[in-house]
Amino acid sequence: MGFKINHEINHEFAVRDAVAATRDAAKAVVGASQRLEHAVIAARLAGGVSWTSIAAAAGITWQAALERWERAVSEAEVDHATREAMFKELA
């Protein structure tokens, strides 16, 4: 009987550890994805880096890069232009 209880307790701890590891891995993926998107936006806005170069760095096709990040880059361009216009008005 004691073995069964110990086995159940060990199983419960293993499940908790697996869930915690899953949560930690998911957070790392989200963080990495955000850093990647920010890097792509910076490459496009600050340096005018081509989609082909970005795709090569990311290990995907240029079409996949365009589909994945074009909207984020466009939104960042609009936000940047809006901020610049506001600063000019304040000057």
Side-chain angles (χ1 to χ4, degrees):
M1 187 164 216
F3 174 76
K4 184 177 180 182
I5 291 171
N6 285 340
H7 179 72
E8 289 174 2
I9 290 171
N10 287 339
H11 176 72
E12 186 176 330
F13 283 123
V15 169
R16 285 184 190 170
D17 289 347
V19 170
T22 302
R23 182 184 57 246
D24 292 346
K27 286 181 182 179
V29 168
V30 168
S33 179
Q34 289 173 342
R35 287 190 303 278
L36 178 56
E37 183 174 289
H38 293 163
V40 169
I41 290 169
R44 290 290 297 168
L45 297 185
V49 177
S50 71
W51 285 113
T52 302
S53 295
I54 290 169
I60 58 178
T61 66
W62 70 266
Q63 295 95 333
L66 189 67
E67 287 177 18
R68 182 170 178 182
W69 295 302
E70 182 179 34
R71 183 175 180 165
V73 170
S74 294
E75 289 172 358
E77 286 174 327
V78 169
D79 288 345
H80 180 72
T82 301
R83 280 193 303 272
E84 288 209 353
M86 287 175 17
F87 287 131
K88 285 181 182 176
E89 287 179 14
L90 294 173

